[in-house]
Amino acid sequence: MLKDNAGWIAVLAILLVLLLAGAVTAASSRGARARVDQALQATRRFARRRPHRQHFRPEGAAVAEDKPRRAAIIINPTKFEDQSAVRRKIAKGCADAGWAEPLFIETTAEDTGEGQTRQALEEGVTVVCPLGGDGTVRAVAGVLVGTETPMGLLPGGTGNLLARNLDLPVDDVSEALKVALTGQNKRVDVGRIRVDASGEHERPAEHVFLVMAGLGFDAAIMAGAPEALKARVGWLAYGVAGVRNLRGAQFKVRITVDDEAEISRRVRTVVVGNCGKLTGGLVLMPKAEVDDGWLDAVTLSPKGIVGWLAVAARVLTKTRKGHERVDHLRGRELSIRSDRPEEVQLDGDTIGKALALGIRVEPGALVVRV
C-alpha cells in the first residue's frame, strides 16, 4: 500500500526540528530556562484538556471507568470459511487489552448491519467494529453517523477501501483490532446520496457512503465482479470485470456543483469521492481527503481503447488538471442527471440503476478509530 502522506510527514518532521532548534537558541541567549519549564507545564495542562476520547488509551494506561470496556463485532459470516477461529482471535485480543468479552452479532441477507449496530448501541458498547466487506462497513456507519460511538475497522472484505484511505491495517485482523481498541478518535466526513430511479420521484431513496459513489462504468465493474472470483483473486477480480466492460456507449449527464452553472458532459462514468484512493494503490482523486469537508468528483469520457489508455495515464500520474477525457470537480453538494438509467455503486456495492442523484457531504459526521 502506498504511503500517500510520507512527504507531509517528512516536511512536518523538518519543521519540528527547526522549531525546537529555534526555541533552544532563544532560551539560551536569554537565559530563560525557567520559562521553557513553564511552557512545558502549560503544554501538559493543555494536553489534559483535550477533547474526551471515551477513555481509549494505550494498553497499560490508567483509566477510570464505571464499567468494563466492550467491543461489538458486527460480523458478515459469508466472508469467512472458519468463523470460529476469527472469533477466538478477536476474543483473545480483547482479553489481552483488558476488555470484556466482545459482543458478536452476525449480519443476515435481510439485515446487513443496521439492526445489529442499533442492538450494539442499546447494549452500551464502547466501540462498534464491522468485520466484513465495504458494504458491512457502510451499513454500520449509517447508524453510527451523528453519534459519539466510534467505529473500529476490521478487514474482512476485498477492497477495505476506507481502511486503505486511512492507512489502517487491511491484512491482519489482530493488528486492526489493536487500533480499534487503543487508537485515537478521528472525525471523518460522510457522503449522503439520494438515488432517484425514475428521475421524478418525490421521495428518492437515501443512503450514506464513506469512500466513493459512482454512476456508469465503475458501477458496471462492481456488478460484473463475481463473488467467487473476488474470493480467489481479491481486487484483481475488478480488473477482469473492467476489461469486460471497456466497450460501451457514452451517456449524457448534466451536473450542478453547489450554486455554479450546470455543465453537460458525455461520459462513461461519474465518480464522486469522499476520499480518493482505490484498491491496488491507485489514486483516482489526488486532492480528496476524508476529513476536509468537501466532495471531489471526476468524469471519465474515453473513446475506444486509446481513450481508456489516456484515462489510465491520468490516473497513474495522479494529475488533476482538466482534460477532455478526465474532468475534476469539487463541491459540497452535487446534482447529477443522466439521459438514461445507469448502474449506481456505493463503496463498491451496486444498488440498481438511476436517472438522478443528489449528493452532499456531512463534515465530521462519523467517529472512526485510527
Side-chain angles (χ1 to χ4, degrees):
M1 181 175 62
L2 296 178
K3 301 294 184 182
D4 297 334
N5 294 323
W8 285 109
I9 293 172
V11 171
L12 290 174
I14 293 170
L15 289 175
L16 181 60
V17 171
L18 292 175
L19 288 172
L20 288 175
V24 172
T25 301
S28 61
S29 63
R30 295 189 300 267
R33 179 60 181 270
R35 287 196 295 274
V36 174
D37 292 337
Q38 292 173 0
L40 289 173
Q41 292 174 3
T43 300
R44 294 189 186 101
R45 289 196 299 272
F46 176 80
R48 287 195 295 269
R49 294 197 301 269
R50 65 184 174 182
H52 181 29
R53 280 173 35 195
Q54 298 190 9
H55 301 300
F56 282 87
R57 294 295 185 271
E59 185 176 353
V63 176
E65 293 192 355
D66 296 332
K67 60 182 180 180
R69 292 168 294 176
R70 191 183 191 194
I73 313 299
I74 312 301
I75 184 169
N76 182 344
T78 67
K79 297 293 184 178
F80 303 95
E81 294 182 358
D82 190 352
Q83 187 186 145
S84 297
V86 175
R87 289 190 179 216
R88 288 193 299 270
K89 182 181 293 186
I90 291 174
K92 182 180 185 302
C94 289
D96 290 345
W99 286 51
E101 180 75 17
L103 172 66
F104 288 100
I105 315 176
E106 291 188 7
T107 65
T108 65
E110 296 74 27
D111 191 341
T112 58
E114 294 90 345
Q116 294 83 350
T117 304
R118 294 189 185 95
Q119 178 185 339
L121 293 178
E122 290 173 358
E123 299 202 21
V125 299
T126 317
V127 61
V128 181
C129 303
L131 181 56
D134 291 309
T136 306
V137 173
R138 187 168 57 83
V140 170
V143 178
L144 293 181
V145 164
T147 74
E148 294 301 315
T149 303
M151 180 171 69
L153 295 171
L154 304 182
T158 304
N160 303 308
L161 291 175
L162 182 60
R164 292 180 190 277
N165 278 274
L166 291 171
D167 287 332
L168 296 176
V170 296
D171 299 316
D172 190 323
V173 171
S174 296
E175 288 300 314
L177 182 64
K178 289 180 182 178
V179 175
L181 302 183
T182 66
Q184 296 183 348
N185 286 341
K186 178 182 179 67
R187 288 193 173 275
V188 302
D189 304 335
V190 172
R192 183 80 64 174
I193 182 169
R194 299 185 307 277
V195 181
D196 190 341
S198 67
E200 300 177 355
H201 202 288
E202 293 183 359
R203 294 185 178 180
E206 188 167 280
H207 308 268
V208 301
F209 66 95
L210 304 175
V211 183
M212 296 180 191
L215 176 75
F217 174 74
D218 72 310
I221 291 177
M222 305 305 173
E227 288 295 328
L229 185 60
K230 288 195 290 184
R232 289 199 306 271
V233 301
W235 62 268
L236 291 175
Y238 296 124
V240 175
V243 171
R244 293 174 179 171
N245 287 276
L246 275 180
R247 296 184 181 278
Q250 294 183 345
F251 57 98
K252 185 177 181 179
V253 293
R254 289 175 290 156
I255 304 174
T256 302
V257 180
D258 295 334
D259 296 326
E260 298 177 7
E262 180 181 87
I263 62 174
S264 179
R265 295 282 189 277
R266 295 201 64 82
V267 301
R268 282 296 309 279
T269 192
V270 181
V271 182
V272 179
N274 187 39
C275 40
K277 187 184 296 183
L278 304 172
T279 52
L282 296 177
V283 180
L284 183 61
M285 303 172 198
K287 300 295 184 180
E289 298 289 344
V290 73
D291 58 353
D292 61 2
W294 293 87
L295 292 172
D296 286 69
V298 60
T299 65
L300 305 181
S301 308
K303 296 180 180 178
I305 301 299
V306 174
W308 278 116
L309 291 175
V311 166
R314 306 290 291 184
V315 173
L316 291 174
T317 56
K318 303 180 184 179
T319 303
R320 192 182 186 279
K321 186 177 179 181
H323 188 275
E324 63 176 352
R325 296 186 179 92
V326 182
D327 195 9
H328 288 268
L329 306 168
R330 167 172 267 215
R332 301 185 189 276
E333 189 167 350
L334 297 92
S335 172
I336 304 171
R337 298 186 69 87
S338 172
D339 66 347
R340 70 178 189 226
E342 287 290 336
E343 198 77 46
V344 178
Q345 66 86 12
L346 303 177
D347 293 349
D349 286 336
T350 54
I351 59 172
K353 294 186 176 183
L355 276 169
L357 303 176
I359 310 172
R360 71 182 189 276
V361 63
E362 294 186 6
L366 179 67
V367 181
V368 179
R369 178 103 339 229
V370 297

